[in-house]
């Protein structure tokens, strides 16, 4: 495993805060397509046509069609939280210190698995917001430019609650504060190509002196920045790593 037993014991005894970053690789084993693989979503769609504010202005019908398809895929009964999602929820429940899970994914699998201290830095597919009145609400079904806002009644302003290219990721102040105070940073299923998330490992290392771990199918673009690394399927690596962190048998936190 990535960390020595004595180091794990120190982290546990100190109730070291943990920050976890997850990317598309953790949800791929639940049946969701990644964006950046050779056969991923961006190989089939032009980013500039479906994932920018300018695209939404130019062709809202196409943008809504794209995200309606993504929502429908998430409702597939075969798409369920996998062992890696469940293990991270267990870590949050049983680790003696704080655990913050930051995901780049817009699916709801972490929440369904039981994670509660969770930041969706790139937004959430099953929520929408209104450009007219700033409403933010759950929205499991299809959306169209003609759909009236349930709050202000105006049409044309509802959009997916998703961070598009050129927009600022969500809750960055809270994320950086946690990175600057953590004792352990874990990156799971990420490409290491997308900033600012790709720079989190450096913040955790330089500002907090944290131990940094990469659990990935293969080395990410930033693999050399991590202190420890292990490669393989997330459904195998993450439950095993969590079990090692919690091997003293401690129960839920008070």
């Amino acid at each position: 495993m990535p960390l020595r037993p004595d180091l794990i014991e120190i982290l546990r005894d100190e109730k070291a805060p943990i920050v976890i970053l997850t990317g598309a690789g953790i949800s791929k084993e639940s049946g969701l397509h990644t964006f950046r693989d050779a056969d991923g979503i961006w190989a089939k769609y032009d980013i500039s046509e479906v994932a920018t504010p300018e695209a939404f202005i130019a062709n809202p019908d196409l943008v809504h069609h794209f995200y309606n398809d993504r929502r429908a895929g998430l409702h597939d009964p075969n798409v369920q939280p996998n062992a890696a999602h469940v293990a991270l929820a267990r870590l949050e429940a049983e680790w003696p210190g704080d655990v913050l899970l930051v995901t780049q994914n817009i699916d709801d699998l972490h929440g369904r698995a039981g994670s509660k201290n969770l930041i969706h830095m790139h937004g959430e597919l099953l929520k929408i917001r209104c450009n007219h009145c700033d409403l933010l609400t759950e929205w499991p079904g299809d959306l169209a430019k003609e759909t009236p806002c349930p709050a202000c009644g105006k049409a044309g302003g509802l959009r997916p609650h998703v961070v598009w290219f050129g927009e600022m990721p969500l809750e960055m102040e809270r994320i950086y504060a946690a990175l600057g105070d953590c004792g352990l940073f874990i990156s799971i299923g990420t490409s290491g190509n997308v900033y600012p998330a790709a720079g989190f490992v450096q913040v955790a290392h330089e500002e907090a002196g944290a131990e940094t771990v990469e659990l990935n199918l293969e080395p990410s673009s930033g693999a050399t920045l991590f202190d420890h690394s292990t490669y393989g399927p997330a459904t195998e690596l993450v439950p095993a790593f969590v079990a090692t962190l919690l091997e003293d048998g401690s129960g839920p936190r008070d």
Side-chain angles (χ1 to χ4, degrees):
M1 293 305 296
L3 296 177
R4 301 188 317 273
D6 61 315
L7 184 53
I8 292 173
E9 186 175 353
I10 291 170
L11 291 169
R12 189 188 298 124
D13 289 346
E14 293 180 349
K15 299 182 179 180
I18 298 175
V19 176
I20 305 160
L21 172 69
T22 65
I26 198 170
S27 293
K28 184 176 183 179
E29 292 182 74
S30 289
L32 293 179
H33 294 294
T34 63
F35 283 85
R36 294 179 177 273
D37 282 353
D39 61 345
I41 293 171
W42 295 142
K44 302 171 185 176
Y45 288 88
D46 185 334
I47 293 173
S48 66
E49 293 181 353
V50 296
T52 67
E54 294 76 17
F56 185 62
I57 294 171
N59 194 344
D61 289 327
L62 177 61
V63 173
H64 283 311
H65 174 73
F66 175 79
Y67 286 99
N68 288 342
D69 280 351
R70 306 281 81 71
R71 270 188 224 99
L74 194 52
H75 291 314
D76 184 330
N78 294 316
V79 175
Q80 298 292 334
N82 61 49
H85 295 106
V86 173
L88 293 181
R90 179 195 172 204
L91 180 62
E92 179 186 331
E94 298 184 19
W95 184 251
D98 292 331
V99 176
L100 175 65
L101 176 54
V102 180
T103 185
Q104 299 174 86
N105 301 334
I106 59 175
D107 62 63
D108 65 341
L109 296 178
H110 281 303
R112 278 199 259 165
S115 291
K116 295 179 173 60
N117 196 20
L118 172 64
I119 294 176
H120 282 269
M121 64 178 294
H122 291 163
E124 298 178 67
L125 184 57
L126 298 182
K127 290 183 179 180
I128 61 170
R129 63 181 190 260
C130 180
N131 285 337
H132 296 311
C133 70
D134 295 328
L135 171 77
L136 176 62
T137 188
E138 304 282 343
W139 195 271
D142 285 352
L143 190 63
K145 66 180 179 182
E146 298 84 10
T147 305
C149 172
C152 70
K154 296 180 180 178
L158 293 178
R159 55 162 284 180
H161 181 52
V162 173
V163 175
W164 287 327
F165 290 91
E167 296 181 327
M168 180 64 69
L170 306 175
E171 297 197 58
M172 292 305 299
E173 184 174 345
R174 181 183 169 198
I175 293 170
Y176 281 126
L179 289 169
D181 188 50
C182 70
L184 176 62
F185 173 74
I186 310 167
S187 178
I188 304 167
T190 66
S191 66
N193 290 316
V194 181
Y195 284 85
F200 288 174
V201 58
Q202 291 175 288
V203 177
H205 177 74
E206 294 174 4
E207 294 191 11
E211 295 293 326
T212 57
V213 176
E214 177 170 80
L215 305 177
N216 224 11
L217 188 60
E218 57 190 17
S220 70
S221 296
T224 59
L225 300 173
F226 289 86
D227 300 316
H228 317 274
S229 58
T230 302
Y231 301 109
T235 51
E236 297 176 10
L237 297 185
V238 178
F241 185 50
V242 168
T244 301
L245 290 175
L246 300 175
E247 64 184 355
D248 68 336
S250 61
R253 288 175 292 168
D254 294 333

